[in-house]
Coordinates of all heavy atoms in Angstrom, one line a residue:
V349 N 122.3 82.8 91.5 CA 121.1 82.3 92.1 C 120.4 83.3 93.1 O 119.3 83.2 93.3 CB 121.4 81.0 92.8 CG1 121.7 79.9 91.8 CG2 122.6 81.1 93.9
G350 N 121.3 84.3 93.6 CA 120.6 85.3 94.5 C 120.2 86.4 93.9 O 119.8 87.4 94.7
A351 N 120.0 86.6 92.6 CA 119.7 87.7 91.9 C 118.2 88.0 92.1 O 117.4 87.1 92.3 CB 120.0 87.7 90.5
D352 N 117.8 89.4 92.0 CA 116.4 89.7 92.0 C 115.8 89.4 90.6 O 114.6 89.2 90.4 CB 116.2 91.2 92.3 CG 116.6 91.5 93.7 OD1 116.2 90.7 94.6 OD2 117.3 92.4 93.9
A353 N 116.7 89.5 89.6 CA 116.3 89.2 88.1 C 117.4 88.9 87.3 O 118.7 89.4 87.6 CB 115.6 90.5 87.5
V354 N 117.4 88.0 86.4 CA 118.5 87.5 85.6 C 118.0 87.8 84.0 O 117.0 87.5 83.6 CB 118.8 86.1 85.7 CG1 119.9 85.6 84.7 CG2 119.1 85.7 87.1
V355 N 119.0 88.5 83.4 CA 118.8 88.6 81.9 C 119.8 87.6 81.3 O 120.9 87.6 81.5 CB 119.2 90.0 81.6 CG1 118.9 90.2 80.1 CG2 118.3 91.1 82.3
V356 N 119.3 86.9 80.3 CA 120.1 85.9 79.5 C 120.0 86.2 78.1 O 118.9 86.2 77.5 CB 119.6 84.5 79.7 CG1 120.4 83.5 78.9 CG2 119.5 84.1 81.2
A357 N 121.1 86.5 77.5 CA 121.3 86.9 76.0 C 121.7 85.7 75.3 O 122.9 85.3 75.6 CB 122.1 88.1 75.8
A358 N 121.0 85.2 74.3 CA 121.5 84.0 73.5 C 121.0 84.0 72.2 O 119.9 84.4 71.9 CB 120.9 82.8 74.4
G359 N 121.9 83.5 71.3 CA 121.5 83.3 69.9 C 121.3 81.8 69.5 O 120.9 81.1 70.4
M360 N 121.7 81.4 68.4 CA 121.7 80.1 68.0 C 120.3 79.5 68.2 O 119.3 80.1 67.7 CB 122.8 79.2 68.6 CG 124.2 79.7 68.2 SD 124.7 79.5 66.6 CE 126.4 79.8 66.6
E361 N 120.2 78.4 69.0 CA 118.9 77.8 69.3 C 118.2 78.5 70.6 O 117.0 78.2 70.8 CB 119.0 76.3 69.5 CG 119.5 75.9 70.9 CD 121.0 76.2 71.2 OE1 121.6 76.6 70.4 OE2 121.3 76.1 72.4
G362 N 118.9 79.3 71.3 CA 118.2 80.0 72.4 C 117.9 79.2 73.6 O 117.0 79.5 74.2
A363 N 118.7 78.2 73.9 CA 118.4 77.2 74.9 C 118.6 77.8 76.4 O 118.1 77.3 77.4 CB 119.0 75.9 74.7
L364 N 119.6 78.6 76.5 CA 120.2 78.8 77.8 C 119.2 79.5 78.8 O 119.2 79.2 80.0 CB 121.3 79.9 77.7 CG 122.1 80.1 79.0 CD1 122.6 78.9 79.6 CD2 123.2 81.2 78.8
P365 N 118.3 80.4 78.4 CA 117.3 81.0 79.4 C 116.6 79.9 80.1 O 116.2 79.9 81.3 CB 116.4 81.9 78.6 CG 117.2 82.3 77.4 CD 118.1 81.1 77.1

Side-chain angles (χ1 to χ4, degrees):
V349 290
D352 296 312
V354 177
V355 180
V356 181
M360 300 291 188
E361 82 293 346
L364 185 59

